[in-house]
Amino acid sequence: MTVPAKLFQQWLSSVAGTTSHAAVCRAAGIKRSTLAQQLVRGRVSVATVAAVSRSLDLPVVTSLTVFPKFTDLAAGIKPPSPAELLSQISDVDLLQEILNRSAAADNLAEPIRVHLSPVPHRASVRAWLDAVDSADLRQKVSRQAAIAPQNLSAQISANRLTAELAVESARIAGVGLTNGLVSTGFLSPAEAGWAPGAREDALANTANSVLVSLAAQRLETLGRILRRSEDDTAAVRSVWENLG
Amino acid sequence: MITDLQWIALAACIACTAWRFPSLLKGRNRGLFWAFAMTSISVALSIPALYLPIDALLGGANLANVVLRLSLFAVFYLVSVKVAAAYSSPLPIKLIRGPIGLSVLTACSLGILITYFLSDVNGSSTGLSGFGGQASVAAFMWFGSVYPAYASACLVLPTAAAALSTRPAIDRAAAASLCVGFCLVVSTVPLRLLSAPDGFVLKLASFGSILFIAAGFAIVWVSFFRRPIPDAIRPP
């Protein structure tokens, strides 16, 4: 996912003034050669924009609104729904919450609050898409963004989604435009406008029944993914066994 | 150019044989060592500079060519059984080790011996190119390419499926290289019918296939060396 180099140069001179590219790169932790190459090719990655913004203490979302496809990003910030918040909690944390609640019920005590692992978790993109999906969201996204459905699902399987697709998915699903960028790890929850502790609160307010069904769903998906990867491993081992 | 390709293929086969030597001592897939050793002999016997002196030792009646053909059959039997098992494909295993495969192998071996004794091939000639006019020599060459093509044809689909699967990239690359090699071996049968017996394209396909198959094995070995949990592969 990239922005035009010309617009990037204009934005950079407006925010960094006359600071040299070398100094900008050093502050942002990007290789000088990487930026030079992106500028020569005429396309600068959004990750570069985010890194430069962070190094200048500028909100990443505001910086991105300068570029086409992201102009309504700041205006499109909406608080995440409880389902979206729960989607950004890892499988293990959900299970830990179930264990804590059950232990608390046995001891007639208040459940201990789970210390949630940071976003994104290992299947955060798929979980977020499932949380905001009404019907055929994936088909609509691939049609709208003109990307082949199998390429989209390959990205989701690898727990990746380009910034453009994440924003497009949020737009089609009618949720906050920055929320998908949290699931890909491109933005931190705070940068996306999520209230601090929002995930913890959403988890605490989830009914036992909902929590258990969600965990069951997650485990089923995990089981499917594990089975596929075990089949692949077994196939590769058979090759090693016979030809290695 | 073909001579260069032949020397490169010979070097690749000798390198693979040497690579398999430690495994031979350890007793790991010993068949592969012998397969590459025999492939090296076969390739060496396709090069005039090596064929002529060796055939002279065997009596100068082109017996070396019979050795070449039969050792290629053995190579293809060994390799195709291993590859079919590696890509867990029950039908190809049956087609190669079962009655059909063994009958094709026996028929081709007998065909080679019978056509050799029917031909008048006195005087060393690499690839029997000096006797192209005889029908029995044409049949000899044809028998020589049928069994390798049959065994390879059984393996095209399993290797193609593995190349298109969701395995790690290195394992798909190995399967793809093997698949291309086997396709080239299969193509030698129609090429032999279409082109002159000493055709350029035919030799390109034959020695190219050896390079692709050797490269496929080499990639498998690299993947094997990089395997994540060495002890979990095979219990001690």
Side-chain angles (χ1 to χ4, degrees):
Chain A
M1 184 56 214
T2 56
V3 298
K6 213 172 152 193
L7 281 177
F8 175 82
Q9 302 259 36
Q10 284 169 11
W11 169 75
L12 191 61
S13 59
S14 72
V15 294
T18 53
T19 318
S20 71
H21 281 181
V24 167
C25 286
R26 206 176 317 117
I30 331 169
K31 270 199 200 147
R32 176 84 186 82
S33 56
T34 308
L35 178 61
Q37 206 167 43
Q38 292 181 352
L39 289 175
V40 167
R41 290 203 183 134
R43 296 189 308 264
V44 177
S45 82
V46 282
T48 305
V49 178
V52 172
S53 300
R54 286 184 188 122
S55 72
L56 297 170
D57 285 325
L58 294 168
V60 178
V61 173
T62 321
S63 303
L64 282 175
T65 52
V66 174
F67 302 100
K69 287 178 188 153
F70 296 111
T71 41
D72 55 349
L73 196 60
I77 290 185
K78 269 188 240 167
S81 68
E84 286 182 278
L85 288 166
L86 290 178
S87 79
Q88 295 312 300
I89 298 174
S90 72
D91 302 350
V92 174
D93 287 347
L94 288 180
L95 295 174
Q96 190 60 56
E97 172 76 8
I98 292 175
L99 292 179
N100 288 359
R101 285 191 192 186
S102 131
D106 288 346
N107 303 334
L108 303 171
E110 271 296 297
I112 316 161
R113 287 196 101 174
V114 179
H115 181 72
L116 296 183
S117 44
V119 284
H121 61 81
R122 274 185 311 168
S124 53
V125 170
R126 188 189 302 278
W128 177 73
L129 283 170
D130 288 342
V132 300
D133 196 355
S134 44
D136 57 17
L137 174 64
R138 286 165 172 80
Q139 285 95 310
K140 282 182 192 160
V141 171
S142 63
R143 210 173 315 133
Q144 184 74 31
I147 169 177
Q150 62 268 34
N151 293 347
L152 179 63
S153 51
Q155 284 195 29
I156 298 169
S157 297
N159 205 30
R160 283 187 288 112
L161 200 59
T162 61
E164 184 193 3
L165 288 172
V167 173
E168 199 56 51
S169 307
R171 207 190 306 277
I172 292 170
V175 297
L177 293 187
T178 53
N179 296 351
L181 296 173
V182 176
S183 79
T184 64
F186 181 75
L187 293 179
S188 72
E191 285 171 333
W194 293 16
R199 289 189 306 152
E200 285 81 355
D201 293 343
L203 184 58
N205 294 329
T206 303
N208 288 342
S209 58
V210 177
L211 184 61
V212 170
S213 320
L214 180 63
Q217 250 175 44
R218 291 280 197 93
L219 287 182
E220 198 177 322
T221 313
L222 182 61
R224 248 197 331 265
I225 293 167
L226 286 179
R227 201 172 320 124
R228 211 173 304 143
S229 98
E230 280 165 7
D231 287 350
D232 282 347
T233 312
V236 170
R237 283 200 180 163
S238 152
V239 172
W240 288 340
E241 187 73 31
N242 287 287
L243 304 181
Chain B
M1 144 121 202
I2 285 293
T3 321
D4 293 339
L5 184 64
Q6 288 173 323
W7 282 106
I8 293 169
L10 179 60
C13 290
I14 291 176
C16 287
T17 313
W19 196 349
R20 289 312 296 177
F21 192 68
S23 306
L24 175 79
L25 297 182
K26 279 184 233 154
R28 199 183 159 83
N29 286 321
R30 289 197 164 120
L32 290 177
F33 173 85
W34 298 115
F36 274 106
M38 283 190 285
T39 316
S40 306
I41 293 172
S42 307
V43 176
L45 289 178
S46 313
I47 303 174
L50 299 171
Y51 180 86
L52 297 177
I54 293 172
D55 194 50
L57 282 179
L58 293 174
N62 291 308
L63 206 58
N65 206 294
V66 177
V67 172
L68 186 171
R69 299 293 148 194
L70 294 182
S71 84
L72 264 191
F73 288 0
V75 166
F76 270 91
Y77 180 76
L78 283 175
V79 164
S80 57
V81 166
K82 281 284 182 192
V83 171
Y87 291 98
S88 12
S89 20
L91 182 63
I93 294 181
K94 228 184 275 171
L95 286 176
I96 293 162
R97 292 181 68 167
I100 306 177
L102 293 179
S103 340
V104 176
L105 178 57
T106 319
C108 287
S109 308
L110 287 177
I112 284 287
L113 293 173
I114 293 169
T115 49
Y116 172 75
F117 287 115
L118 286 179
S119 309
D120 172 27
V121 284
N122 242 321
S124 284
S125 167
T126 316
L128 301 184
S129 49
F131 309 100
Q134 296 179 40
S136 56
V137 169
F140 176 91
M141 301 309 276
W142 188 82
F143 275 120
S145 59
V146 163
Y147 184 70
Y150 170 81
S152 302
C154 296
L155 300 172
V156 167
L157 283 183
T159 47
L164 299 173
S165 68
T166 51
R167 303 168 184 213
I170 183 166
D171 300 298
R172 284 190 287 136
S177 182
L178 288 175
C179 184
V180 172
F182 292 134
C183 288
L184 285 175
V185 176
V186 174
S187 76
T188 57
V189 169
L191 283 178
R192 197 173 284 285
L193 295 177
L194 289 174
S195 63
D198 227 26
F200 174 78
V201 186
L202 179 65
K203 289 195 165 175
L204 203 63
S206 312
F207 294 97
S209 70
I210 292 172
L211 281 180
F212 273 106
I213 293 173
F217 275 102
I219 302 172
V220 169
W221 300 334
V222 170
S223 154
F224 177 69
F225 285 134
R226 291 179 13 180
R227 69 197 182 281
I229 345 153
D231 293 329
I233 310 288
R234 175 181 278 183

